[in-house]
Amino acid sequence: MDVADLGATLRARRRSLHLTQSETADLADISTRVLSDLENGRETVRLDIVNAVAAALGMSLSLQVTGT
């Protein structure tokens, strides 16, 4: 998954919950600009922000080993 896929996944989840960007940003304690950057796949968004948005949307991040 690249940053564009991650942003699209978070956007789809937000929309499925019928939340606006403003509402989601408030839940994650970030600005709507930062959320927009994340949803649009900008690579400058920090991991702690991704984690906060995921948590606000009832999601979590995980890693898995591949190729072994």
Side-chain angles (χ1 to χ4, degrees):
M1 175 178 278
D2 63 17
V3 291
D5 293 335
L6 176 61
T9 299
L10 293 172
R11 180 187 303 112
R13 174 67 175 165
R14 174 180 62 77
R15 288 178 175 170
S16 75
L17 295 172
H18 305 289
L19 293 170
T20 65
Q21 280 189 332
S22 180
E23 291 166 333
T24 304
D26 287 344
L27 290 170
D29 197 29
I30 61 172
S31 71
T32 55
R33 173 64 184 217
V34 170
L35 180 58
S36 176
D37 286 350
L38 175 57
E39 287 187 355
N40 287 299
R42 293 204 177 78
E43 296 182 12
T44 57
V45 178
R46 298 183 335 231
L47 183 57
D48 62 325
I49 292 171
V50 175
N51 196 46
V53 172
L57 296 172
M59 303 170 80
S60 64
L61 299 176
S62 65
L63 297 172
Q64 69 182 51
V65 176
T66 59
T68 58

